[in-house]
Every structure is written in structure tokens, then in C-alpha cells.
Amino acid sequence: MGSLSAFLEDKLFLSPGELIQVLLALLFITNTLHRLIRYHRLSHVPGPFLAGWTGLWEFTHIWRGTYLLKSQALFAKYGPVVRLGPNKIIVSDVDAVYRISNVRSQYRKGSWYPDVGRVTRQGESILTLADPEARRDRKKIIMSGYSGRGVEDQEEGVGRAITAFKDLIERKYLSTAGKFVPLDMDQKAHFLALDAIGEIAYSQSFKSLEEDADTVGLIDLQRKMLTVNKLLGLNTWVYGALRRWPLYYLLPHDVDESGLTVAVGLVKTLLTERANPNAPPKQDMLQSFLSHGLHGFDLQQEIGIQFFAGSDTVASQLRTTFLSLLNNPRIYHLLQSELDTAFAASQISTPTILDSEARALPYLQAVVREGLRLFPSSTVFPFPKVVPPQGDTEDCGGVDEKVEEREVLDDADSAYSMPASSTNSLSASIYQYRTHLGRTYHSEIGQAEHWTPNDEQQLESMDIQ
């Protein structure tokens, strides 16, 4: 140590303590200059002051679960283009969202998708594929299954899940004049979504409704990991580090019994059962994937992502739409009246309504559309896209916002964060809020009438395809 001190003092005229101070000062100056340059690059885009310097605003509201409502409030305050972070903005104009997200867009997925969207360490799903050509090839393989072509009993499978849901209510949750039996719609909606996915994708129910329990452990897993994943998704380098040696040994293995390993193990179980030569032939979504040449780790990724991207979004939409109906008795009774009239006229099948019959009921369709408009289900993650290297100019509602030309280095650099909820800002009512029984709602919640009566052209223009 003495020789090192002597060397520093002899060659650099600095003691070890002074050298550390100099290095810390250089680090501070470099960091400050980096932040100033980063702040200036998007300084022309309005937004919360701190958002220009730090990602704390986004972090805080994702943690609190208020990201959707607060981002809409920012659109009301600042306009259709808002800065949410040092290198991140969101847009609310639907034409801009279409242009950024369409198949020929020059915007590309950043590292968020392959880092956060994976269920297992290897393989790619349609969510994680960033290369446009590879994504188009994968669509050719999986779209037949998702569209229902070659999938038998798709509607019947959903019907069986709905019937199981009704049976559960009649078996355990009917209240009487002398006894009130509460039903946890939050939980039961997720049971319904999981069982329906099991029916149409794998020809087998997970029996969550039959047993009134999280039989496969996925719901508990989502509750534990969702917020953590959202927050880590703001710092994708964490995921990147975890997928490299030796830290990837910390990621889930199918032999474990907790955490994300529940999903990994379930994927392996489904594939093992399907590979059994004595198993009866099935025409479901999984078989469609196999028949179109999807195998190995890529197949595991596609199955695994269904448990989260499929079940949670459906369950969320059911919960929020039912909540809206229960808080608006007038709308609830109007919908009930339409259903009762259609049933009396034999326009509804039993035990469950058919899709074609549901589409013929205008007020039911209006309620579905209004539920989707007010509480879009795909708002868990920001889903960022990377601005092209040449930069871009957004013309949103007459407001031009220039994103300066620069090289895109990663998903944080010059990323447009585009949650599905941003399209809700098309309606002025989305900016109005009121508090009811401790919960925050949009002021026009439940006003399904503005969807009807409309001709098909008007409905198409109002729909978010």
C-alpha cells in the first residue's frame, strides 16, 4: 500500500484519497452532462417536470396501480403528446398509434419485449420477436389457431366454461333473504378465463371453476409477480443480466414448485401429454401450432404467454365491465331487459348464448364496447416502440412534436411508450373523473347509449380495431 501511495504521489502528484475525490468528481460531472443532454433532447415535449430528469413518475404510478388514470390526466393537462421519462413519450392520437404500430411501420420493438415477455429462458413467442420478418413468419404459423380455423368446438369450449361458472354460482353463492353470500368476482372472473383458455387451446379445462380454486397456481403467481415485472420492465437491463451466465441459473426451472416455475412446469406437462402416442387426437389451438411446424422452445414460449397475456386480459375486462354495470343500475336493468326479451322470443340459446346471437343484441354490444373503451385490458405494461434512427414528427390533433434525429441505442433511448389506454383520450369524457365509494371512475362511465343506434360505418369508425 505504501508503494502505491508513493507511486501516485510521485507520478500524479495525488494521494490515494485525492485520487478518489477526483474520480468521484469526474463521475458526477459526466453524469450531470449526460442528464442535461438527455433532458434537452425532448425538452420541447410537455409533461411533468421531473419526468424530464427521471423515470420516477412512471415508476410511482405503476407501483400504485394508477398508471392508466394518471396518464389520461396528463393528456388532459398537456395535450396529445406527453413526456413520461427522460427518453420516453406517450401519444393519444389514434392515427399516430396506428402509424407507429402497423406492420409497415419503421418503429421497432426494443429490448423490453424479449427481456420482459419471456416465460422460459430459451425460445421466442410472437410477443418477444422483434425482427419484422421473423414475426411475419411466426404469424403464418399461429394465426390459424388463434382465428379458430381447424379448431373444433371453440365456441362450445367457451360455453362449457360459462356453464361451469353458472353452476358454481348456483352451487355455492346464491344469497337468500336470510343469508348474504358474497362472491369474489375478481377471483371467479380469472377462474372463468383460465378454464375457457384450457378448453379451446388444450381441449381440457383447468377445473378452477369446478373446484372453486386456483388449481394450477397461475392466479397466485400473477398477483405476486405482476407489479414486480412491471417495475423491472422499466429497467430492462436487469432482465438482460439475469439471462446471462451465471445469473440465468436463478431463473425458473420446471422442477421447481413456486414462482414463474409454475407456468414453466405446466407448459412441460401439456406438451408431455400431447406427445403421448396413445393420447386421443385433438383439434385445438395447441394441435394447430404443432401441425404448422411450431416445436421446441418456441412452442413453449407461445403456450406460456397464453397463461398471462390471454387469461389476465380477459379476466380484467370481465371484472371492470361487471363493476361498471353494478355501479350503474339503470344500465344494468336496460341490459337485463334486452336479454329477457330476447330469451322470451327464443333468440338466445341455452345453456349459453351463441356468439352470433350476442352480436345481434345492440345494447349488449354497446355495453361490451363501452367496457373496452373505459377500461382497456392491455394496460399492464407500457409496450414501448423505438423511434426510427432518422427521428420522427408526430402530428397529433394539430400539435407537431419533433423527435430529433439520433441513433437509437436501446429501448430506453428515444422510445415512444404507447399503452393501449392512450387511445381512450379520443373522447373528452375520459378526462373527467369522480370519486364514488372510495374508487375513482370516469364521469361518463356506463353511458353505453352513445354506441347506439349507429350504422355499421359509424360503429367501425368508433371502434378501436
Side-chain angles (χ1 to χ4, degrees):
M1 184 66 182
S3 60
L4 177 61
S5 299
F7 173 80
L8 291 174
E9 292 178 0
D10 180 54
K11 300 296 184 181
L12 300 179
F13 307 103
L14 294 173
S15 67
E18 291 172 332
L19 177 62
I20 292 174
Q21 292 177 9
V22 170
L23 292 176
L24 289 176
L26 289 174
L27 181 63
F28 174 78
I29 293 172
T30 302
N31 182 265
T32 301
L33 289 174
H34 170 71
R35 290 182 178 274
L36 285 171
I37 293 171
R38 191 171 61 171
Y39 174 82
H40 177 73
R41 191 162 52 189
L42 290 174
S43 60
H44 56 289
V45 180
F49 174 75
L50 287 179
W53 301 95
T54 174
L56 186 61
W57 186 97
E58 196 172 21
F59 180 95
T60 300
H61 292 294
I62 286 179
W63 177 261
R64 293 177 178 175
T66 56
Y67 183 83
L68 168 62
L69 297 177
K70 292 299 183 180
S71 62
Q72 297 297 343
L74 291 182
F75 288 134
K77 182 176 181 179
Y78 296 108
V81 183
V82 180
R83 186 178 192 174
L84 272 194
N87 295 303
K88 185 175 289 186
I89 71 173
I90 55 174
V91 296
S92 67
D93 182 79
V94 67
D95 291 329
V97 173
Y98 283 161
R99 186 174 64 81
I100 291 170
S101 301
N102 71 57
V103 294
R104 296 180 178 83
S105 174
Q106 295 185 29
Y107 287 77
R108 294 290 180 262
K109 293 180 177 181
S111 62
W112 184 95
Y113 292 84
D115 287 338
V116 182
R118 292 179 185 271
V119 177
T120 60
R121 295 197 303 272
Q122 296 171 288
E124 301 281 358
S125 71
I126 190 67
L127 176 66
T128 63
L129 282 170
D131 180 71
E133 291 297 329
R135 185 175 172 82
R136 277 193 286 270
D137 292 340
R138 179 62 59 84
K139 281 184 176 180
K140 295 176 183 177
I141 294 174
I142 67 173
M143 284 312 295
S144 180
Y146 279 112
S147 65
R149 296 193 301 271
V151 178
E152 294 181 351
D153 300 331
Q154 186 175 36
E155 189 166 3
E156 291 81 355
V158 176
R160 286 191 292 270
I162 294 174
T163 299
F165 181 44
K166 294 192 297 182
D167 290 344
L168 173 62
I169 294 175
E170 294 173 354
R171 189 172 71 249
K172 295 183 62 175
Y173 295 101
L174 287 182
S175 296
T176 64
K179 182 181 180 181
F180 171 67
V181 183
L183 181 145
D184 185 351
M185 188 63 188
D186 179 19
Q187 182 190 66
K188 303 313 184 257
H190 221 139
F191 289 172
L192 173 59
L194 277 174
D195 282 0
I197 287 176
E199 289 277 6
I200 64 177
Y202 318 116
S203 299
Q204 62 182 57
S205 169
F206 293 121
K207 299 187 182 300
S208 300
L209 292 167
E210 180 180 327
E211 300 183 18
D212 195 17
D214 183 13
T215 56
V216 291
L218 287 174
I219 299 174
D220 181 60
L221 166 64
Q222 288 186 355
R223 294 191 186 283
K224 290 178 178 178
M225 298 190 63
L226 193 58
T227 299
V228 174
N229 282 344
K230 287 188 292 184
L231 296 177
L232 288 178
L234 299 178
N235 299 279
T236 56
W237 64 268
V238 176
Y239 279 93
L242 284 173
R243 298 189 188 283
R244 293 179 174 85
W245 184 90
L247 295 180
Y248 67 70
Y249 287 109
L250 300 175
L251 293 176
H253 299 261
D254 56 299
V255 297
D256 299 329
E257 297 180 354
S258 61
L260 192 57
T261 54
V262 173
V264 178
L266 183 56
V267 169
K268 295 289 185 68
T269 299
L270 289 169
L271 291 177
T272 300
E273 292 175 353
R274 190 56 57 94
N276 184 353
N278 298 321
K282 298 176 180 179
Q283 295 298 319
D284 52 22
M285 192 179 296
L286 174 55
Q287 190 59 49
S288 176
F289 292 169
L290 290 167
S291 300
H292 286 81
L294 190 62
H295 300 283
F297 293 116
D298 288 343
L299 178 60
Q300 292 180 23
Q301 288 283 358
E302 291 293 351
I303 296 174
I305 203 66
Q306 290 177 344
F307 298 146
F308 303 100
S311 66
D312 188 67
T313 50
V314 172
S316 296
Q317 203 63 62
L318 288 172
R319 289 193 293 260
T320 53
T321 303
F322 269 97
L323 178 64
S324 301
L325 284 171
L326 294 174
N327 279 283
N328 290 269
R330 181 181 69 85
I331 304 300
Y332 177 90
H333 290 300
L334 284 172
L335 176 60
Q336 184 67 59
S337 176
E338 182 183 65
L339 293 172
D340 290 342
T341 301
F343 184 79
S346 300
Q347 297 173 353
I348 294 180
S349 300
T350 56
T352 56
I353 188 173
L354 299 178
D355 178 66
S356 58
E357 297 167 345
R359 292 177 183 272
L361 300 176
Y363 204 73
L364 173 61
Q365 292 301 304
V367 168
V368 171
R369 286 186 168 97
E370 184 70 349
L372 289 167
R373 183 186 76 86
L374 290 171
F375 294 103
S377 55
S378 296
T379 55
V380 175
F381 295 105
F383 297 110
K385 291 290 184 72
V386 179
V387 177
Q390 70 272 20
D392 197 10
T393 300
E394 286 302 334
D395 181 8
C396 299
V399 180
D400 289 339
E401 296 293 353
K402 174 65 176 175
V403 182
E404 296 175 357
E405 181 177 350
R406 57 196 176 276
E407 183 179 2
V408 179
L409 301 178
D410 53 46
D411 72 318
D413 190 275
S414 65
Y416 273 83
S417 175
M418 301 192 305
S421 60
S422 63
T423 57
N424 280 355
S425 62
L426 296 173
S427 169
S429 67
I430 202 71
Y431 305 135
Q432 307 299 320
Y433 302 94
R434 65 178 175 86
T435 300
H436 178 63
L437 298 179
R439 295 176 181 267
T440 302
Y441 297 100
H442 303 92
S443 63
E444 289 193 54
I445 192 167
Q447 298 301 314
E449 285 81 5
H450 62 250
W451 290 98
T452 58
N454 284 297
D455 57 31
E456 289 300 318
Q457 182 178 358
Q458 176 65 13
L459 283 177
E460 184 177 356
S461 70
M462 295 176 72
D463 271 327
I464 305 300
Q465 300 295 336

